[in-house]
Amino acid sequence: MDSFEDRASKVEDLPSIEELSALIGTIYDCALDPGLWESMLIGIKEMLRAHNASLTMIDLVGGRASLIKTIGIDPYWLERFPLYGEEMASWEQLPALRDMPLDEPQVFSRHLPPEIQSQSPMLKEWGEPQGIVDSIGLTLINSLTRQAHIGLNRHRDTGVYTDREVVIGRILVPHIRRAVTISDLLDMKTLEQQALGATLDSVTAGVVIVTGKGRIVHANETARRMLDARTPILASDGCLATLDSRVSDELSKAIAMAQEDETQLPEAGLGVPLSKADGVAAIAHILPLARGQRRTRLVPQATAAVFIALDATPLPTDLGAVARTFGLTPAEIRQLEQLMMGATLRKAAAALQVSEATARTHREHIFAKMGVSRQSDLVALVRRLVPPVRRANGR
């Protein structure tokens, strides 16, 4: 992976490390305070020199598009946006977009075929009257039934997006998705320090708050049961560890990384595969806490919150964390979603509009990457790896 300095040497006019670090810090603060998403959108809009910004959810089944949060879009155009949901959903099936890596920014001027750019009702009726000449999309959720993007539109006065904005997008999108993942695990509006224990105990994933050397500051109810059972985590001289010394070393390195400047964090995510003594798998998701106005208030001396997900998970709607852990391609993710719903190879191929041979190839690649040989084993593994949340209303 190229460092920020390597990228800066190849592309002119990139923001400074300090500017990127401040924005990424706001992104991670959003994991604990969703009220900051608007500030985050404003920061990204300004950094990418966009005319407006939006957080969009697209229902790929019903062909509906919803603007969840917007910055700089006139109310008239907000009302008209849902009219183009079916068209936008169809774009997701275009090979140029469908097979792109998850973290690659989607740039309309580069990735939409010329005939769509010239004939699209969305672009002609919604974009052109606003002076929009280009859009960039950062994918947050990529499932069979829904897509979630941050979209940033460029005005004709600024011109189409360049390599500068693509590089910035590549840097930012893994951090945004990581924050979204943690926020979904917590399933709450705001995490306040005085309610720390009660809030974390409502999360069925294990949560351990640690210092830079892995010393345990706080563990929620689920994590305490794991520590007492000494699987998949344990306490060694007061520090977070596992029965496998190699996994413990990897976990310690990931926690230490959480102290680094956010621009230096690995793009693939701070995720560490764990394993129980009986062979059941788990993943530790790590949220940096050493910086940020909201995160440093959680526990002032803490470096990271470690979320441990395993066992008895309901069927997931978003397989992003599993996909990143095992290096699945977008096509393999769609195949995995079909397999998780119990589809046969023939039904999966029909649903995805590919040949059975292609579906079989994707299935074998998934099996090989995830270390299983049967669909039932695959489903069991994914259910253990995607963490559930125990909601306050009992759902």
Side-chain angles (χ1 to χ4, degrees):
M1 180 189 74
D2 288 346
S3 66
F4 175 78
E5 289 78 7
D6 292 333
R7 292 168 177 173
S9 68
K10 299 174 184 177
V11 178
E12 295 182 355
D13 198 26
L14 284 176
S16 68
I17 289 181
E18 291 75 19
E19 290 171 319
L20 276 169
S21 182
L23 179 54
I24 295 171
T26 300
I27 290 169
Y28 284 123
D29 280 348
C30 290
L32 301 182
D33 186 352
L36 293 173
W37 284 112
E38 184 169 328
S39 297
M40 182 272 293
L41 271 181
I42 292 173
I44 295 176
K45 179 181 88 70
E46 293 176 350
M47 187 168 286
L48 270 68
R49 299 168 184 167
H51 181 60
N52 54 44
S54 62
L55 175 58
T56 305
M57 186 75 71
I58 301 174
D59 178 356
L60 298 178
V61 177
R64 293 184 298 273
S66 302
L67 288 169
I68 308 303
K69 194 170 290 293
T70 64
I71 301 296
I73 302 179
D74 185 273
Y76 173 80
W77 298 112
L78 287 179
E79 291 179 5
R80 297 188 60 79
F81 181 80
L83 299 176
Y84 305 98
E86 186 172 351
E87 180 186 1
M88 294 176 65
S90 71
W91 292 352
E92 297 300 329
Q93 302 308 313
L94 295 170
L97 297 179
R98 183 187 63 204
D99 298 328
M100 286 179 65
L102 281 173
D103 291 339
E104 183 67 16
Q106 299 176 352
V107 184
F108 284 10
S109 62
R110 300 185 180 198
H111 299 127
L112 281 183
E115 59 272 20
I116 289 182
Q117 294 187 45
S118 63
Q119 301 173 15
S120 160
M122 164 72 175
L123 299 182
K124 292 180 70 67
E125 300 169 6
W126 195 85
E128 287 184 12
Q130 299 180 75
I132 293 171
V133 295
D134 203 0
S135 297
I136 193 168
L138 308 177
T139 301
L140 305 182
I141 296 175
N142 182 25
S143 75
L144 184 67
T145 58
R146 62 187 179 128
Q147 292 272 347
H149 299 272
I150 287 180
L152 301 116
N153 296 314
R154 262 285 177 90
H155 194 269
R156 64 169 67 96
D157 292 344
T158 311
V160 299
Y161 285 113
T162 67
D163 289 344
R164 172 189 179 274
E165 290 75 40
V166 172
V167 168
I168 295 172
R170 288 173 182 158
I171 293 171
L172 294 180
V173 70
H175 301 290
I176 301 170
R177 188 179 298 112
R178 191 180 303 154
V180 168
T181 298
I182 299 296
S183 184
D184 283 348
L185 287 177
L186 292 172
D187 186 35
M188 61 187 179
K189 295 181 179 179
T190 304
L191 181 60
E192 298 291 348
Q193 184 174 349
Q194 62 267 27
L196 173 64
T199 302
L200 294 186
D201 280 342
S202 71
V203 180
T204 56
V207 185
V208 183
I209 310 295
V210 297
T211 66
K213 296 186 179 298
R215 183 162 297 279
I216 298 171
V217 177
H218 178 89
N220 74 342
E221 180 183 343
T222 302
R224 289 194 293 271
R225 289 197 298 267
M226 294 177 179
L227 292 168
D228 289 342
R230 295 177 60 82
T231 181
I233 56 172
L234 54 86
S236 176
D237 294 328
C239 294
L240 187 63
T242 73
L243 288 171
D244 188 322
S245 60
R246 291 171 298 180
V247 175
S248 293
D249 289 342
E250 186 176 354
L251 186 60
S252 296
K253 290 178 182 177
I255 291 170
M257 285 180 189
Q259 299 180 89
E260 301 293 329
D261 183 283
E262 277 97 348
T263 60
Q264 305 303 314
L265 295 177
E267 294 182 1
L270 293 176
V272 178
L274 308 174
S275 60
K276 290 177 65 175
D278 58 5
V280 176
I283 294 180
H285 303 276
I286 298 170
L287 172 68
L289 298 178
R291 293 173 174 79
Q293 294 181 358
R294 298 301 188 278
R295 288 172 288 143
T296 53
R297 278 170 30 199
L298 183 62
V299 177
Q301 71 272 32
T303 292
V306 183
F307 295 78
I308 300 141
L310 78 165
D311 289 340
T313 307
L315 281 176
T317 56
D318 178 19
L319 298 170
V322 173
R324 293 189 298 279
T325 298
F326 294 98
L328 302 184
T329 67
E332 290 165 356
I333 296 171
R334 290 188 289 275
Q335 177 87 13
L336 176 58
E337 288 170 332
Q338 288 291 322
L339 298 176
M340 290 299 298
M341 292 186 291
T344 64
L345 200 61
R346 177 175 296 179
K347 288 183 177 180
L352 299 174
Q353 298 182 333
V354 300
S355 68
E356 284 192 45
T358 298
R360 183 177 294 105
T361 298
H362 290 326
R363 184 187 65 181
E364 296 308 313
H365 287 170
I366 294 168
F367 283 176
K369 290 179 178 181
M370 299 185 68
V372 298
S373 57
R374 298 182 304 174
Q375 185 168 341
S376 59
D377 293 336
L378 176 72
V379 171
L381 173 60
V382 173
R383 284 178 171 175
R384 290 193 296 267
L385 293 180
V386 180
V389 176
R390 192 165 54 236
R391 301 182 187 274
N393 60 11
R395 288 188 287 111

